[in-house]
Amino acid sequence: MPLAEANRTPLATYRVQLNPAFTFRDLAAQLDHLLALGVTDFYLSPILTASTGSLHGYDVNDYTSVSPELGGREGFERFSDEARRHGAGVLVDIVPNHMGIAGPRNAWWHDVLMWGRRSAYAPFFDIDWQAGGDRVLLPVLAHHYGRELERGRLALEFGAGFLLRYGDLLLPVHAESHAQLLQALTRDAGLPSGDRAEATAFASDFHRLAQVPATESRDESKERTRRLQRVQARLAEWAKSRPAVRARLDEHLRRLNGTPGRPESFVELDALIGGQHYRPARWKAGAHEINYRRFFAISSLVGLRMEDPEAFRESHQLIADLLREGRITGLRVDHIDGLRQPAGYLRRLQALAPAEKGAPLYVAVEKILAAPGESLPADWPVQGATGYEFIPEVAGLMVDPAAADAFTATYRRFTGHLESYEDEVYARKRQVLEELFAHAIDGLGSELAEITNADWRWQDLTAHELVAGVREIMAGLSVYRTYRETTGPAGPADRAAIAAAARAAIARNPRSDPQPFEFVRDLLAGDYPPARAAPELQRRLLDWVLTFQQYTGAVMAKAVEDTAFYTYGRFVALNEVGGSPAAFGAPLEMFHAACRRRLEASPLGLLATSTHDTKFSEDVRARLYALSELPDEWNRWVERWHVMNHWHLTDVDGAAAPDRRDEYRFYQILLGVWPLDSGAPTEALRDRLCAHIRKAVDEAKRHTSLLRPNEPYLQACERFVRRVASPDTAGAFLADFAPCAERLARLGMVNSLAQLVLKCTAPGVPDFYQGTETWEFSLVDPDNRRPVDHALRHQARARAGRSTMAGLMEHWRDGAIKVRVMQRLLQLRAAVPDLFLRGGYRPVAAEGTHAARVAAFLRETPGHAVLVAVPRLAAALGAPPVGAAWGDTRLDPGNTPPGAWRDVIADRIHREPGFNLRQLFADAPFAVLEHVDPRPDHP
């Protein structure tokens, strides 16, 4: 097969989570299997050097090297060469928004801690030096600084120079402190004069290095760091060669490090720590005093300034080299919303790769399109997003909107939780703004008050009012962020979102003066300052807007994905990244409209159903979608199960644990992951369920949280899960639960296969998460990053190739039917790529008794046509709904070419002109029909 071309467009991607236990070598061993499935491009998690042992790669420590734990650059090149030999592409996930700073591998961050704002790398990081008093707040201590200091947990040690140790964390000590520490040796009468003279020379070297000229360039700063490292290395060698020197040095350090129980003995150490360019602090201080932008609220992930040309160049040089060599053929950009100027960044990214035949570099951005009809900004030079929006589109088809009121009533009656989802989101946004982003919001409000003080029209707006304005408009935004990048006005979509947020802020705060909300609205929309304003004022206010925009996505993600999705549990199948729990099903026309929009705006964007970030795997959600068709049964089930299991609840502080909201959610989870063999949960599954409920109640932040763990409640939840999921303690419950779960599993199988057909044939590029070629019932990470059983999937592929369609459907539990659907449809995509990448999309109407239970469409190009039909809301027709169950229902595709149609999955030819579902769905509840040559002798 030909080598893969650079700047190619993938036909089908397969996402792989690389880690030390699954490396480039391990992936190479799966190439034949994945290529046989029809995968055209391997979509890799971040490959650059991350924190030691990282299981995900998003905590990049070094942008200049491929992770040695994955196989290093040599291992990556061997893999990419093999992929290219088979004509496959390599799409790599890159992380431009933040770096991991835990551990010793991040030389850039180490340099900043050593030299402060004079470091060559200080401009690379998003640090507010003024707010920190020229020091970086490091929220790394388990307890208050004074307590840790007096316990001897903070201590100096000598290795490659002097370092400050806290547990496993090693922090640099700046050059002037080196000089001061060596002064002790210069005065030590117990050492020979020659050793004292050598110590004096070293102290002088360090003192000179500490004198940083104000005009020093970045290159000179980097050279200063290299000189420091050389002096430190010479110092270490000298101390090693002079045992007496090393002994006296260790003795001085022991004295300086103090003695627990004697607070006065820590005075000198405290003074030395106070002189560094960082301030170690209790970890909780990060919420209110941290002065660097974090990834969400994770203090070990520090924000980067990709708007700095040098930061961009140095962090992308290796990726650029691999692109030019053709070893990378496309990029996935992580957390694009965290960047200060996404459009500008993406333009620079496109310039990294040589344009071939006028084709741009394939780039997909991780972007949550949260509002109905929201699309990517038109000026972004990308092929599309990573496909989260496809999940709610499919949910709209598969979830019965007629059951919304019944589910709401059951949820409210069982849990007592009466708030609407919209109110829940607002409350959770306020919560995370106050608990996790308080320092950022206070800083934005205070800075705005300082800027506006120069304008007499607004100088009376106080910092207090403006902080409230910032907080309330952030809480009211319905989108992750807006994208204004110039002093001109915001675009129409951004203006609409900002205006709606301001209206919500005013409505929710009737006792407050509306002017602060209106002022922030006008500023964000670009209506203030007026065009005649001084250029400096315009620059400062635009800079403020850019900072505001960087935070809103993080606030939305923490409040919605990581909180509200765990506090609002009416129907958890909808609590998914990219979706909304408020959207309980949708008309069929909305799915068709979404497909047409994608074909027009981003036909090459990815379509996802499972990712490393989804709360549930595609097959878990597909089962739960079917639950929406059983609202009365669900109401009876959950009430009955509560009565059967109340013995397993624990009293914690006078209340039952888990509470009704957590219990209600758990029954949905258990239905979603119930074993395919219909047997009771195994010990391994119970462990997974316990880990999940612990994460769920932590994220909900109602009874416990990561900031303030409530171990009795957590233990009560785990105890409940283990007892309820064990035949030894809940045999009667499991006997009652199993038939319900089995029924849902069969219905879910139908939904899963329909979902797969849609992903492979609708406009967009289908993306498959590792392991999902067969059934995969995973929960939120890290559960969805468990090792994949590749041998099991190889066996399923073999069975898929030798079995009849009827046999595959009969033995659906082995997963071979899912492999068959994926493989046949990807083969079809490869045979007629233009049809699926750029071909037209035409909805097909149905007629007859069950017309509302089918979704169908045509993909067309001149000379080619493919008709797609899948069931929806078909639980009443049986599981699976095949053959006679469809009665008189038929499709009316309108004007179609004459001739035969071949079912590419079932290997059947349909020659009659009608499209009766009794025949199309004779063996399986879906059909993908390719129009074939009308000549009589055509096979």
Side-chain angles (χ1 to χ4, degrees), residues 464-465 468 472 505-506 508-517:
H464 175 79
E465 289 177 304
E472 290 299 316
I506 293 169
R508 290 186 182 276
N509 296 272
R511 293 184 296 173
S512 298
D513 183 348
Q515 278 203 331
F517 308 121

Side-chain angles (χ1 to χ4, degrees), residues 33-34 44 55 57 62 155 165 171 300 302 327 341 347 432 475 483 497-498 545 582 607 625 671 744 809 872 918:
H33 165 69
L34 297 173
L44 309 185
L55 297 178
D62 181 5
R165 176 179 287 278
L171 299 170
S300 60
V302 59
R327 300 185 186 281
Q341 296 171 303
R347 287 191 290 270
V432 301
Y483 296 97
I498 293 163
V545 169
L607 303 179
Y625 292 159
L671 285 169
L744 206 64
M809 287 300 299
R872 61 184 293 261
R918 295 173 64 112

Side-chain angles (χ1 to χ4, degrees), residues 505-569:
I506 293 169
R508 290 186 182 276
N509 296 272
R511 293 184 296 173
S512 298
D513 183 348
Q515 278 203 331
F517 308 121
E518 294 167 344
F519 177 78
V520 174
R521 175 200 64 196
D522 292 347
L523 172 56
L524 292 172
D527 295 333
Y528 178 85
R532 65 179 182 276
E536 176 62 16
L537 177 62
Q538 294 192 45
R539 184 199 65 76
R540 290 188 69 188
L541 287 171
L542 176 62
D543 194 58
W544 186 94
V545 169
L546 295 176
T547 300
F548 176 97
Q549 292 180 150
Q550 277 187 287
Y551 276 101
T552 60
V555 170
M556 177 76 92
K558 289 305 296 180
V560 176
E561 298 170 34
D562 293 348
T563 309
F565 279 4
Y566 295 96
T567 61
Y568 186 85

Side-chain angles (χ1 to χ4, degrees), residues 141 143-152 154 266 270 280:
L141 306 182
H143 302 285
H144 288 284
Y145 168 77
R147 177 178 172 182
E148 297 296 81
L149 180 73
E150 293 183 15
R151 290 174 61 193
L154 288 154
F266 294 95
D270 172 58

Side-chain angles (χ1 to χ4, degrees), residues 411-692:
Y411 176 64
R412 289 179 171 177
R413 182 170 55 251
F414 187 90
T415 67
H417 184 211
L418 305 180
E419 287 79 10
S420 69
Y421 177 66
E422 292 76 10
D423 288 342
E424 187 70 26
V425 167
Y426 172 76
R428 302 290 72 79
K429 279 193 170 184
R430 284 295 306 269
Q431 180 181 357
V432 301
L433 283 165
E434 292 168 6
E435 292 182 359
L436 303 177
F437 296 96
H439 183 69
I441 303 308
D442 288 345
L444 281 166
S446 299
E447 182 184 3
L448 189 54
E450 179 187 342
I451 297 173
T452 57
N453 190 52
D455 186 337
W456 64 62
R457 290 166 299 176
W458 298 107
Q459 67 181 16
D460 288 341
L461 284 178
T462 67
H464 175 79
E465 289 177 304
L466 290 170
V467 166
V470 170
R471 183 178 59 241
E472 290 299 316
I473 286 186
M474 272 199 188
L477 272 176
S478 61
V479 294
Y480 273 65
R481 69 164 280 176
T482 53
Y483 296 97
R484 182 175 157 225
E485 293 191 10
T486 70
T487 55
D494 285 350
R495 291 180 72 88
I498 293 163
R503 287 194 298 270
I506 293 169
R508 290 186 182 276
N509 296 272
R511 293 184 296 173
S512 298
D513 183 348
Q515 278 203 331
F517 308 121
E518 294 167 344
F519 177 78
V520 174
R521 175 200 64 196
D522 292 347
L523 172 56
L524 292 172
D527 295 333
Y528 178 85
R532 65 179 182 276
E536 176 62 16
L537 177 62
Q538 294 192 45
R539 184 199 65 76
R540 290 188 69 188
L541 287 171
L542 176 62
D543 194 58
W544 186 94
V545 169
L546 295 176
T547 300
F548 176 97
Q549 292 180 150
Q550 277 187 287
Y551 276 101
T552 60
V555 170
M556 177 76 92
K558 289 305 296 180
V560 176
E561 298 170 34
D562 293 348
T563 309
F565 279 4
Y566 295 96
T567 61
Y568 186 85
R570 175 182 63 164
F571 186 54
V572 298
L574 303 176
N575 297 23
E576 190 53 89
V577 180
S580 169
F584 205 104
L588 171 60
E589 292 73 20
M590 287 189 66
F591 178 82
H592 290 315
C595 287
R596 287 193 293 261
R597 280 197 307 272
R598 185 180 302 106
L599 184 60
E600 180 179 344
S602 55
L604 307 182
L606 298 182
L607 303 179
T609 45
S610 289
T611 77
H612 58 289
D613 278 333
T614 46
K615 304 302 182 183
F616 308 105
S617 67
E618 58 198 51
D619 296 323
V620 171
R621 284 197 312 276
R623 282 185 179 180
L624 294 176
Y625 292 159
L627 186 62
S628 74
E629 300 182 67
L630 311 173
D632 294 335
E633 288 94 328
W634 169 244
N635 181 57
R636 291 193 297 268
W637 291 352
V638 73
E639 293 289 355
R640 187 167 70 238
W641 295 338
H642 173 70
V643 172
M644 299 176 78
N645 290 327
H646 79 278
W647 306 103
H648 305 302
L649 300 173
T650 303
D651 183 280
V652 176
D653 296 329
D659 71 4
R660 287 234 175 173
R661 284 162 75 174
D662 291 330
E663 183 185 0
Y664 186 89
R665 188 178 192 280
F666 170 73
Y667 293 134
Q668 296 178 71
I669 300 302
L670 189 57
L671 285 169
V673 300
W674 186 257
L676 276 169
D677 61 7
S678 301
T682 62
E683 183 64 25
L685 180 54
R686 285 192 287 273
D687 288 344
R688 291 172 54 208
L689 289 167
C690 284
H692 179 76

Side-chain angles (χ1 to χ4, degrees), residues 25 54 58 60 102 207 275 284 300 352 356 358 398 483 503 560 619 685 705 795 868 910 933:
R25 181 191 297 272
S54 177
Y58 288 101
V60 175
H207 180 71
K284 290 185 179 181
S300 60
L352 293 181
E356 295 189 4
M398 303 296 180
Y483 296 97
R503 287 194 298 270
V560 176
D619 296 323
L685 180 54
S705 71
Q795 295 165 11
V868 178
H910 296 270
D933 194 299

